[in-house]
Amino acid sequence: MGLLVLDRKNWTRSGAVLAILLGLAACERAYNSVNRPQLALAPISSEERIASTRMRGEAPVPAFRPRHTAHLGRDPGPSQQLAAAQRPSGSLGGFLTSPNPPKLNMPQPGLDGPLGSFRAKLAALEAGTRSDPVVIVHLGDSHVASDSFTRGIRSRLQARFGDAGRGAVIPANAFKYAQAQSVSLSSSGPWQSSMSLKSGNGVYGLSGVRVESATSSAVMKLTADQPFDWAQVTVVTGPGQGQFDVIVDGHKQRFSANAPGQGAKSFRVDRGGKTLTISPAGGGKLSLLHWSTGKDGPGVRYVNFGQISATVSVTRRWNDQAIANDLAALKPDLIVYGFGTNEGYDDNVDPASYRDYVRGFLGKLKADAPQVDIMILGAADGLRRRGGKSCGNGWNQPPKLAALRDAMQGLAQEIDAGYWNWAQAMGGECSIDQWARSGLAAKDRVHLTSKGYDRSAEAFYQALVGPLDRPVVVADKR
């Protein structure tokens, strides 16, 4: 079964009281969960160091450890480069929805459950009774970083429910192999990039990256495939931050990021066009966290923020105020939690500690954005050469992958989140070996090919929009 639906429970470990406001407006039903527990993320101590490794037929980095962060300290290995650099052919592989898709399973009055608010908003889009966009923010690792998995989900949702624009993307040249569908990113002049994967210095938000310059000759440009109605840039604010210019199709506006205290702020330009350019304008640095374009009116916006080799531990380096600013600016209706692959390759990871940390992280997001629903992904199937249960041909299952999926399923039940088991949707244990033999997975048995990601995107799309009580197994190994 590809999608499991879990009953609502209170977040009992924090002792919080959950109040639900239910309302019906035409075909749209929305609820806001309030007073969710805000569990602080543990700070990174000065003793924590950056771990470095290369992938040799297995996951690229040491994964989550409850009391310190393990990160990649140098460029990804060959297998990772291959998977991250893959570009789809432009076709959605025949998996676009039919011209007359079935209507959504509308939540009934008084019916509560995972993704209920999100699904009601999609149904309202389809019925033509919702004027605001539905926004999804997908956080994760290399499956997300290069838009490999997420582009297919985005394309399907926008084809059915309307296109509200690209939404937020990372800055140009934030890291190697970074990709963003529907826009082209470029830069000239001196820019310095930083990743929360590798460095804890400075401010990071949900994008996990920062690209900065203090030189007026430094220029960064976004060119959209389709015209947009507005643009928005999110930058670090504080002492040492200066003025910067935002230019939309030749029309320039100047802003200042200087402030007494360190944080982040989003600056919006209500002007349409196809090009967005930014550049420092004196008085200090311009430190870009992400930038956005969008369309006015209804439709879907699907934002992907990921880092190659990342575990959820990278979120320890994210700034609380920057996270709150991002959630206020992006206004997500659904957050997809997509970490877990790299953690599953760490034989020393403790599933209970991992679950506790993820609970705290998602609790923080929910406290800052009470309107949001949450979907947790169980990691895709994966294999390696060294120890674990054999799948034949010298490939073995990392023992902690399944344990972490179980932990995430239990957490989803606890916090009333949706849960989708990617490995089951692929066909279950050892299925990725057949996927690799069929051209759906990379040779490393960790990442997928463009065809494999697109097949997985179809399964996840069906899980998002199909009836909650119907099993979904689309991404099988055939």
Side-chain angles (χ1 to χ4, degrees):
M1 184 167 62
L3 175 68
L4 300 182
V5 178
L6 306 161
D7 295 332
R8 175 173 294 277
K9 293 186 178 180
N10 291 332
W11 295 42
T12 54
R13 297 196 182 193
S14 65
V17 177
L18 181 66
I20 304 298
L21 302 176
L22 295 175
L24 291 175
C27 296
E28 179 178 4
R29 170 184 168 273
Y31 72 85
N32 289 326
S33 300
V34 297
N35 296 327
R36 292 283 193 175
Q38 184 167 352
L39 304 180
L41 301 183
I44 296 180
S45 69
S46 58
E47 289 80 14
E48 290 178 355
R49 63 185 180 85
I50 298 174
S52 175
T53 185
R54 287 187 182 274
M55 178 162 57
R56 291 181 170 87
E58 57 189 65
V61 294
F64 175 82
R65 301 180 192 279
R67 296 191 178 276
H68 72 280
T69 307
H71 301 289
L72 180 70
R74 53 193 178 194
D75 287 340
S79 299
Q80 200 170 17
Q81 294 175 12
L82 171 67
Q86 287 166 341
R87 301 283 301 204
S89 62
S91 166
L92 292 178
F95 283 104
L96 273 174
T97 53
S98 64
N100 298 301
K103 294 294 183 181
L104 286 180
N105 184 32
M106 281 290 293
Q108 299 301 312
L111 178 64
D112 202 5
L115 308 188
S117 176
F118 169 73
R119 300 279 291 284
K121 292 171 185 176
L122 287 182
L125 282 180
E126 191 163 68
T129 60
R130 180 180 174 86
S131 58
D132 293 330
V134 172
V135 180
I136 303 165
V137 175
H138 194 143
L139 306 174
D141 46 33
S142 56
H143 299 305
V144 180
S146 57
D147 215 5
S148 302
F149 177 38
T150 46
R151 72 175 65 235
I153 308 167
R154 180 185 305 109
S155 296
R156 288 163 170 80
L157 288 169
Q158 291 183 341
R160 178 169 177 180
F161 300 104
D163 183 352
R166 181 58 179 85
V169 298
I170 61 174
N173 301 319
F175 54 87
K176 205 172 183 179
Y177 308 119
Q179 303 287 349
Q181 182 193 32
S182 304
V183 295
S184 299
L185 307 177
S186 62
S187 66
S188 61
W191 292 94
Q192 181 178 359
S193 65
S194 302
M195 301 170 61
S196 56
L197 180 71
K198 299 182 179 182
S199 172
N201 297 325
V203 173
Y204 298 101
L206 292 179
S207 72
V209 299
R210 185 180 67 251
V211 179
E212 53 195 0
S213 179
T215 305
S216 59
S217 62
V219 177
M220 192 176 296
K221 185 176 182 179
L222 179 155
T223 303
D225 292 351
Q226 299 294 328
F228 52 82
D229 296 324
W230 54 264
Q232 184 169 270
V233 297
T234 299
V235 303
V236 176
T237 56
Q241 302 298 317
Q243 298 184 85
F244 61 97
D245 291 331
V246 178
I247 305 170
V248 175
D249 278 6
H251 298 274
K252 181 169 70 174
Q253 287 186 239
R254 181 162 293 184
F255 301 95
S256 176
N258 191 266
Q262 194 175 59
K265 185 176 180 179
S266 298
F267 296 84
R268 180 175 167 122
V269 176
D270 287 309
R271 178 179 288 276
K274 288 193 69 175
T275 62
L276 169 62
T277 304
I278 61 170
S279 181
K285 293 190 298 185
L286 165 61
S287 303
L288 180 65
L289 300 177
H290 56 82
W291 46 353
S292 307
T293 57
K295 299 177 182 179
D296 295 328
V300 170
R301 229 173 269 143
Y302 202 108
V303 175
N304 62 294
F305 285 147
Q307 296 177 70
I308 294 173
S309 303
T311 72
V312 71
S313 295
V314 301
T315 64
R316 293 179 183 270
R317 301 183 185 274
W318 296 359
N319 178 276
D320 286 354
Q321 192 275 329
I323 292 174
N325 175 80
D326 285 346
L327 292 172
L330 298 175
K331 299 180 176 64
D333 300 288
L334 177 69
I335 291 176
V336 181
Y337 177 86
F339 295 100
T341 294
N342 294 305
E343 292 92 327
Y345 282 75
D346 181 2
D347 291 350
N348 296 314
V349 70
D350 175 47
S353 296
Y354 180 76
R355 173 172 166 162
D356 289 344
Y357 185 87
V358 176
R359 181 193 300 108
F361 172 62
L362 295 179
K364 174 175 286 297
L365 300 183
K366 187 70 175 179
D368 287 337
Q371 81 283 354
V372 78
D373 280 349
I374 293 173
M375 172 71 101
I376 298 176
L377 267 59
D381 191 41
L383 302 177
R384 66 184 185 187
R385 288 297 191 186
R386 61 186 177 89
K389 182 180 177 181
S390 175
C391 288
N393 303 309
W395 292 101
N396 305 302
Q397 298 178 45
K400 291 302 176 72
L401 265 178
L404 291 181
R405 289 189 202 103
D406 291 343
M408 290 300 93
Q409 179 182 336
L411 178 61
Q413 182 175 6
E414 177 186 342
I415 67 174
D416 187 34
Y419 177 75
W420 184 68
N421 189 327
W422 194 348
Q424 283 190 359
M426 292 174 68
E429 292 185 351
C430 303
S431 58
I432 198 169
D433 185 50
Q434 182 59 43
W435 275 48
R437 295 172 182 275
S438 303
L440 298 175
K443 293 180 180 180
D444 63 4
R445 269 68 170 175
V446 178
H447 301 90
L448 307 182
T449 63
S450 58
K451 291 182 179 179
Y453 279 121
D454 192 67
R455 184 166 292 189
S456 296
E458 168 66 14
F460 186 64
Y461 163 78
Q462 293 290 349
L464 285 179
V465 304
L468 285 172
D469 58 354
R470 181 180 299 171
V472 177
V473 182
V474 175
D476 60 27
K477 57 189 176 183
R478 292 190 298 274

